[in-house]
Amino acid sequence: QVQLVESGGGVVQPGTSLRVSCATSGFIFSHYAMHWVRQAPGKGLEWVAEIIYDGSETTYAESVKGRFIVSRDNSKNTLDLEMNSLRPEDTALYYCAKGRDGFSIDYWGQGTLVTVSS
Amino acid sequence: QTVLTQPPSVSGAPGQRVTIPCTGSRSNIGAGYDVHWYQHIPGAAPKLIIYINKNRASGVPDRFSGSKSGASASLAISGLQAEDEAYYYCQSFDRSLSGFMIFGGGTKLTVL
């Protein structure tokens, strides 16, 4: 079965960086686009970034563009999100998610919590 | 900024039918982009329940159905059960944003 397991969350100060990762199994990782979606405390879901199956194209939400970088290692079936210049408003549960097709998601991880606070 | 509008909450008694609307605009649902629905129980991973407007994901009971018309979509749940209590999110694509996926604000379904 498909499994997505995020790691790397924690408490960091504003302006610093953090990398979260996602280990995957149960599907052919290199065949699918992958996404990061976040949920701030008490808020709804917000799409953050997408990377296509071979890593050659990435897309970002305006709120993180220029600060976050999504990458993947198809040899290790892992997905990463490097987050720079973090702001308090980046505080959220970050979900790794598998693309079903070009426009939706079919599997999600349990999330890793990132807290940006001084 | 939420570009897909959902009511914050809906409720129904066990066995009843409820619908959750998702209202978009000409730049997203109204432009012909498909709508997908997710169920999220806090503390668990979100779960895809409806894809491409009306197709049930694997293992989802036929009590769940989706529809789309114009710039809006809706999720219907019939024969409500206690286990249906969750947050439900619609999702589509918006061509006016440099981003990609958009989600509704989410609707909390309470089973009375």
Side-chain angles (χ1 to χ4, degrees), chain A residues 47-59:
Chain A
W47 173 79
V48 173
E50 184 231 15
I51 184 167
I52 69 169
Y53 70 101
D54 63 355
S56 63
E57 291 183 21
T58 57
T59 315

Side-chain angles (χ1 to χ4, degrees), chain A residues 100 106, chain B residues 35-37 47-67 75-78:
Chain A
R100 191 192 71 81
D106 55 4
Chain B
V35 179
H36 319 280
W37 291 89
K47 175 185 173 184
L48 175 69
I49 52 172
I50 297 289
Y51 64 96
I52 311 179
N53 306 318
K54 61 181 182 180
N55 299 282
R56 281 185 299 277
S58 176
V60 175
D62 59 7
R63 301 184 296 103
F64 291 82
S65 62
S67 64
L75 173 71
I77 310 171
S78 60

